[in-house]
Amino acid sequence: MNGVRAPQGQASRRADLQMLLATVIWGSSYLFMKSGLESMQELNLVAFRFGIAFIAAAVLFHRRLFRMDRGTLAAGAIMGTALFAAFVFITYGVQRTTASQAGFLISLAVIFVPILTTILHRRMPDLRLTISILVAVIGLALLTLQHELSLHMGDILCILAALMYAIYIMIAGKYTPKHDPLTLGTVQLGVAALWGLAATFVLETPRLPDTPQSWAAILGLGVLCSGIGYILQTLAQRHASPTRTSLIFSLEPLFAAAFAFSFQGESLTLQGYAGAALMLIGVLITEIRVPYPVFWRRKRTALQTELGDQGAPGV
């Protein structure tokens, strides 16, 4: 038995480390986007970051791509389309709000996942989910409604990005266990890049970064945040439960705020910090299950048994 459990435990710990590393990397992406958007338009930036990520991944995993079947290609195309849609909202939102605030708003994806799951399965949300949503909404109000009772466009776009990213997480959770994660991750990057390139030619004017800072930001987004980050995510989801993965992902806004404070001097107001803290608490409520004490579980089981025995004759 020990020989079977050890590899599973090692795989689980490795998945945790992979997801944590990806989360740290994604926390830096908001700064890279801010810098890149100084010389490029939004869709152009999306096309570049995923194009660079795809080229890097394809060079490393080209042999796997040649052995790819149609099912993996179709799954990667669906995931890449959802990923592109999410990042359109993310990129436009980051351009219109602060990096730290964008990180906290986009973390609402972890709340949207159980909400969408509840809707799809047509079940009423349990008390824990209801409480987490209420706490997160209160935190969202404190974070975004600073001086007037209205949301800024950047805040709205980041919330829509969180919803779209939640849809992407659910799609990825469906397809990742069924296909090779490295091939699937590479295909989704390529599809997202193609969508970005097409949208750039239709809606914007394609251009290259024109400063060393912009090139550094684009390479950081492409190689680190998109290439390494999303390959790590697809690898981790093979061995990490959705609960554990979402819990680690919920740390992203903390890293985003830390990067924004360290490199750009961004800081929230006291009200904003209180709202951010409530949002994180709301996220954690959805992910952490508090077990009943042993004596309470025994009483509960005994009570259920007693009620069951009393109810049997009536049936």
Side-chain angles (χ1 to χ4, degrees), residues 32-33 36-37 39-54 80-95 188-201 204 206-207 209 217-218 221-223 225-227 230:
F32 286 134
M33 280 190 279
L37 287 169
S39 63
M40 300 181 68
Q41 292 179 282
E42 291 84 357
L43 296 175
N44 200 355
L45 178 68
V46 173
F48 253 91
R49 70 174 292 175
F50 285 113
I52 292 173
F54 171 72
T81 301
L83 186 63
F84 167 75
F87 269 88
V88 169
F89 286 116
I90 289 174
T91 308
Y92 277 99
V94 170
Q95 176 75 322
Q188 73 168 354
L189 294 174
V191 171
L194 287 175
W195 278 116
L197 187 63
T200 299
F201 276 98
E204 296 178 352
R207 59 177 298 180
I218 296 300
L221 284 172
V223 177
C225 303
S226 297
Y230 283 98

Side-chain angles (χ1 to χ4, degrees), residues 123-146:
R123 293 180 306 190
M124 292 297 294
D126 60 17
L127 180 61
R128 185 167 56 90
L129 177 57
T130 303
I131 293 174
S132 71
I133 294 172
L134 290 176
V135 171
V137 169
I138 294 172
L140 175 64
L142 289 174
L143 179 64
T144 57
L145 303 178
Q146 296 291 333

Side-chain angles (χ1 to χ4, degrees), residues 283-299:
V283 168
L284 294 175
I285 290 174
T286 65
E287 303 302 335
I288 296 178
R289 294 182 181 274
V290 180
Y292 290 103
V294 174
F295 72 90
W296 174 251
R297 288 203 301 267
R298 290 174 179 171
K299 287 183 177 180

Side-chain angles (χ1 to χ4, degrees), residues 26-35 90 94 99 102-103 106 252 256:
W26 289 335
S28 68
S29 66
Y30 303 101
L31 288 183
F32 286 134
M33 280 190 279
K34 281 282 189 183
S35 180
I90 289 174
V94 170
I106 294 170
E252 181 184 342

Side-chain angles (χ1 to χ4, degrees), residues 47 76 83 152 163 181 184 196 220 228 285:
L83 186 63
H152 297 293
L163 177 59
L184 195 63
I228 296 177
I285 290 174

Side-chain angles (χ1 to χ4, degrees), residues 90-170:
I90 289 174
T91 308
Y92 277 99
V94 170
Q95 176 75 322
R96 291 159 177 80
T97 188
T98 64
S100 55
Q101 189 154 313
F104 282 106
L105 292 175
I106 294 170
S107 72
L108 283 174
V110 187
I111 296 288
F112 285 138
V113 169
I115 294 175
L116 293 174
T117 302
T118 298
I119 294 173
L120 290 175
H121 290 91
R122 298 180 181 179
R123 293 180 306 190
M124 292 297 294
D126 60 17
L127 180 61
R128 185 167 56 90
L129 177 57
T130 303
I131 293 174
S132 71
I133 294 172
L134 290 176
V135 171
V137 169
I138 294 172
L140 175 64
L142 289 174
L143 179 64
T144 57
L145 303 178
Q146 296 291 333
H147 301 292
E148 64 278 347
L149 295 178
S150 63
L151 286 172
H152 297 293
M153 180 56 65
D155 300 330
I156 295 173
L157 290 173
C158 287
I159 295 171
L160 291 175
L163 177 59
M164 193 63 232
Y165 198 75
I167 295 173
Y168 164 75
I169 291 174
M170 296 178 67

